[in-house]
Every structure is written in structure tokens, then in C-alpha cells.
Amino acid sequence: MPHHGNEEEHESEPVSFRDNRKIDPETGEVRGQQKDAGEPVAEESATGEQAAPAADASEGDALAQAEAILNEAGAEGHNPAVDVVAELRNDLLRLQAEYVNYRRRVERDRDVARDQAVIGVLNSLMPVLDDIDAARQHGDLADGPFAAIAGKLENVLKTYELTRIDEVGVAFDPNVHEALMQQPSADVQADSVSQILRAGYRKGERVLRAAQVIVAVPE
């Protein structure tokens, strides 16, 4: 079969082929897995698209964003979206006010419950305090270990703002005194407490038990 052209030129052309082997026979590494050291590798999502940068977490709270949108819309003119944003802003403000009121109410209720618990304990200890007073009046608490224990108990109760109502010579006050008897006296110009029959107690400004007293009245 005749040849066109020079036969030596055909014999001298190099034969090229593509190596499709996945493993490089010289290095033993999998081909297509390496990148140049200086080439940045972009993170891709499951769909093959490059991942977007994370949103900045310091964009501000919802109220600040709403204010910015309203200011921008006001500068550009009326926008129907402004009414929606303003309504959402008002809702946020109302929810914030309701939350603040709720917290205050919870704290107030917690304080009331704590005071009620303390008052219940103090009321249950009043008969014990009455026995201590009776023992002290009879001279049984002059000294000894029981006197020391009674003193410690009274000091502990003072930390809960428990105070005695046992003053004599003061004006009679029906809010803190319970008159069991009246005695005319030329030494007083107004109704006064002349004797304490049973001490009363108050916690702070709240009277827990009125003092039972004898009242001296003018003649």
C-alpha cells in the first residue's frame, strides 16, 4: 500500500497516552487528592456549592434592628413595610414590659412567701419565749447552762427582726397593747402602760402579738 509523505517522519512521531491509574506508581499516593500548598481550599456544601461565611452575631438585638429599619425607611419616604416593622417593634416593647413586670411580681411574691415562713416559725416559738420570761421572773435563769441557751435563742431571733413589746410608762397604743385592766392614777395625764402582764412581739414594723398590759388612767 503506498505511503503519502516521508516514511521516516511517520516513524519519528512520539506516541502519547493518558495514564488513568488512580494510584501513582512512583509515589503510591491516590491521585487528585493533593492541592498545592499555597492554594486555598474552599469549603463546599453537600450540593457542591461553596459555603457562605457565618453571619455576624454582633448585629444587635431585635429592637435595635427595628429602629434602624424605621429610620432608613423614614429617610427614603413611606414604605408599606414600615407599618409592619413598627407593629413588630411595638409588640417587642410590650413583651419586654410584660417580662419586666413578671419578674418584679415573682420577686415580690418570693419575698412575701419568705416573710410568711419566718413569721410562722416566730409565732410557733412565742410560747417558748413566754416560758423563758416566766422562768426569768422567778429567778431560774440567773445563771447556768439553761440561761446561756435562752440567751442564744433570743439573740438568734433578733437576727430575724423580732423585738419585744414590754415597755412601761409609755402611752397606751391599741395597735400594740391589749388592755386587760385599768387603774386610776393621779400620776398620769393620759392613758399609760403601768404594767406588762405578757410581752408582745413585732417583726420589723409588723405586730405579731400585742402586749397584754394594765393601763393607768387619769383620776
Side-chain angles (χ1 to χ4, degrees):
M1 185 176 191
H3 297 281
H4 297 283
N6 193 343
E7 185 176 356
E8 294 181 357
E9 293 179 359
H10 287 283
E11 294 178 355
S12 62
E13 291 180 357
V15 179
S16 61
F17 64 94
R18 182 177 181 181
D19 190 353
N20 293 327
R21 290 175 293 182
K22 297 182 178 181
I23 300 178
D24 193 328
E26 297 181 359
T27 63
E29 297 180 353
V30 179
R31 291 176 174 176
Q33 300 296 327
Q34 294 181 341
K35 298 285 184 178
D36 294 339
E39 181 180 358
V41 179
E43 297 181 0
E44 295 184 355
S45 62
T47 60
E49 298 179 358
Q50 187 172 357
D56 190 358
S58 60
E59 294 180 355
D61 56 9
L63 288 176
Q65 295 180 25
E67 290 287 353
I69 295 174
L70 288 174
N71 294 335
E72 181 179 357
E76 296 177 356
H78 180 69
N79 191 327
V82 175
D83 297 335
V84 177
V85 175
E87 183 177 357
L88 293 176
R89 174 180 175 274
N90 293 333
D91 291 341
L92 288 174
L93 291 174
R94 184 176 65 256
L95 289 175
Q96 186 179 30
E98 291 178 355
Y99 176 69
V100 171
N101 293 333
Y102 168 76
R103 286 189 57 186
R104 291 176 180 174
R105 185 169 61 254
V106 169
E107 293 175 356
R108 183 175 63 253
D109 294 343
R110 183 167 54 243
D111 293 339
V112 171
R114 185 186 302 112
D115 289 341
Q116 291 295 334
V118 172
I119 289 173
V121 174
L122 296 178
N123 286 331
S124 64
L125 289 175
M126 286 184 187
V128 178
L129 298 176
D130 292 338
D131 293 340
I132 292 175
D133 287 340
R136 185 177 287 116
Q137 292 175 4
H138 288 84
D140 297 334
L141 291 181
D143 53 13
F146 185 71
I149 294 173
K152 289 181 180 179
L153 176 61
E154 292 173 340
N155 290 332
V156 169
L157 295 179
K158 288 179 181 179
T159 61
Y160 292 96
E161 301 181 273
L162 182 68
T163 56
R164 290 168 57 90
I165 304 175
D166 59 354
E167 294 181 293
V168 296
V170 297
F172 174 77
D173 185 355
N175 295 319
V176 297
H177 299 133
E178 179 184 356
L180 299 183
M181 186 182 302
Q182 291 183 351
Q183 292 179 343
S185 175
D187 298 330
V188 296
Q189 301 297 324
D191 295 350
S192 303
V193 176
S194 61
Q195 185 178 349
I196 300 292
L197 301 178
R198 189 184 70 175
Y201 291 94
R202 62 157 55 98
K203 181 184 183 300
E205 299 297 328
R206 179 173 180 176
V207 177
L208 302 182
R209 188 180 75 180
Q212 294 180 348
V213 300
I214 296 177
V215 181
V217 296
E219 291 183 348

